[in-house]
Amino acid sequence: MTAVVPLAAAGLLAGGWALAGPGGAGPGGPPDGGDARGGGPAGASPGTSAPGGGEPGAAPSGGLPGQASADPSGGPLAGKVVVIDPGHNPGNFRHPDEINKQVDIGTNRKECDTTGTSTRDGYAEAAFTLDVSHRLRDALRRLGATVELTHDADRPFGPCIDERARIGNLAGGGKGADAVVSVHADGSAVGNRGHHVILPGLVKEGAADTAPIVAPSRRLGERIEAEFARATGSAPANYLGGGTGLDVRKDLGGLNLSTVPKVFVECGNMQDPKDAALLSDAAWRQKAAQGIANGVGTYLLG
């Protein structure tokens, strides 16, 4: 893992731009909206999604997809465009035919999206990802970044994984985002704990060509993993990545089809009771969002 630029050295703390957001630090699926391990059944009850998901709460209302917004007072990330991709959609379970439709991801075809996973007491991944994404959006806006969301639960289902990639590729008026973060929680076995960041592998097939983004995406992922661990106290996943908190994959459409630096953040395992207790805690989610924002900020500032 490469060295992480200290926050102060990166300039993020200069001029009063402290990264701790409102509320400060509280107590302590593979993803892809269609790339989840064993995505939940379409019959899941409203507000929940079945175990086994990975890419789909009350949370502050946020900007709509394609609607750029930034803190008018400027800041160290002024001029930078960040796309946040909240995994899944709370309405996916109502649209099984639509989300099961196959889309091209370059290497093969996969489902448009999945329902995502949930904790055993019914806290849905789709609710978690929206909440963390709203908090992350607010943290990045305070630093002056222009932020776009791929969706804000403002559509019946999706978007499909190929559209999620296109939103990042065309952000910032068509120039493409400077960084894209897809927010998720995993649905692995009990005892599997911790966070990990999924990085794009080298893929060049069909519409997929990740060669230009593999290296910058790794730098983005390393920064996010380090700052996420620092902010939350969470350990890297104990079930993949060899303790690095990083996992390289070539089977996720959201990464394969991206032309800009992009990673997936699996904040923890919703199926493990100890991780689930953290993921269900609003104060911990604020820490998680701040950690991701810190990682994005240090990456963008070099």
Side-chain angles (χ1 to χ4, degrees), residues 15-31:
W17 284 99
L19 285 181

Side-chain angles (χ1 to χ4, degrees), residues 46-273:
T48 69
S49 46
E55 204 185 2
S61 59
L64 299 177
Q67 185 176 58
S69 55
D71 189 318
S73 64
L77 298 186
K80 301 295 185 181
V81 177
V82 180
V83 168
I84 302 171
D85 178 30
H88 312 288
N89 182 318
N92 277 357
F93 77 94
R94 298 187 185 93
H95 298 273
D97 292 341
E98 291 89 346
I99 68 170
N100 286 326
K101 180 181 177 182
Q102 300 279 303
V103 298
D104 185 5
I105 68 165
T107 54
N108 61 297
R109 297 182 69 82
K110 297 189 74 168
E111 294 85 356
C112 157
D113 204 354
T114 64
T115 59
T117 188
S118 70
T119 65
R120 299 197 172 211
D121 62 0
Y123 181 44
E125 182 186 0
F128 170 84
T129 63
L130 277 173
D131 182 90
V132 173
S133 293
H134 290 153
R135 296 170 188 271
L136 174 58
R137 174 207 60 202
D138 294 346
L140 289 169
R141 288 186 64 196
R142 285 192 294 272
L143 293 168
T146 296
V147 180
E148 301 180 24
L149 301 182
T150 60
H151 77 96
D152 200 7
D154 54 332
R155 52 194 294 168
F157 65 91
C160 293
I161 55 179
D162 55 344
E163 183 181 353
R164 290 173 187 263
R166 284 195 297 273
I167 291 170
N169 296 345
L170 297 175
K175 296 180 180 178
D178 295 292
V180 182
V181 179
S182 191
V183 179
H184 288 275
D186 209 355
S188 189
V190 175
N192 289 348
R193 297 197 61 196
H195 65 272
H196 65 280
V197 181
I198 302 177
L199 314 175
L202 183 59
V203 174
K204 191 166 186 178
E205 188 173 343
D209 181 4
T210 62
I213 70 164
V214 166
S217 295
R218 173 168 285 274
R219 291 195 297 272
L220 172 63
E222 288 173 340
R223 300 292 172 84
I224 290 175
E225 191 285 319
E227 294 298 338
F228 187 95
R230 191 195 313 273
T232 64
S234 169
N238 62 7
Y239 57 101
L240 49 71
T244 64
L246 303 173
D247 185 31
V248 177
R249 292 178 60 177
K250 300 180 180 181
D251 63 324
L252 301 181
L255 296 181
N256 286 2
L257 299 176
S258 183
T259 59
V260 295
K262 181 174 182 177
V263 299
F264 285 66
V265 181
E266 295 280 1
C267 297
N269 175 20
M270 285 193 141
Q271 290 292 290
D272 178 83

Side-chain angles (χ1 to χ4, degrees), residues 269-291:
N269 175 20
M270 285 193 141
Q271 290 292 290
D272 178 83
K274 293 180 179 178
D275 267 13
L278 296 175
L279 296 165
S280 300
D281 181 72
W284 189 90
R285 294 196 299 271
Q286 180 64 34
K287 285 182 171 185
Q290 201 63 61

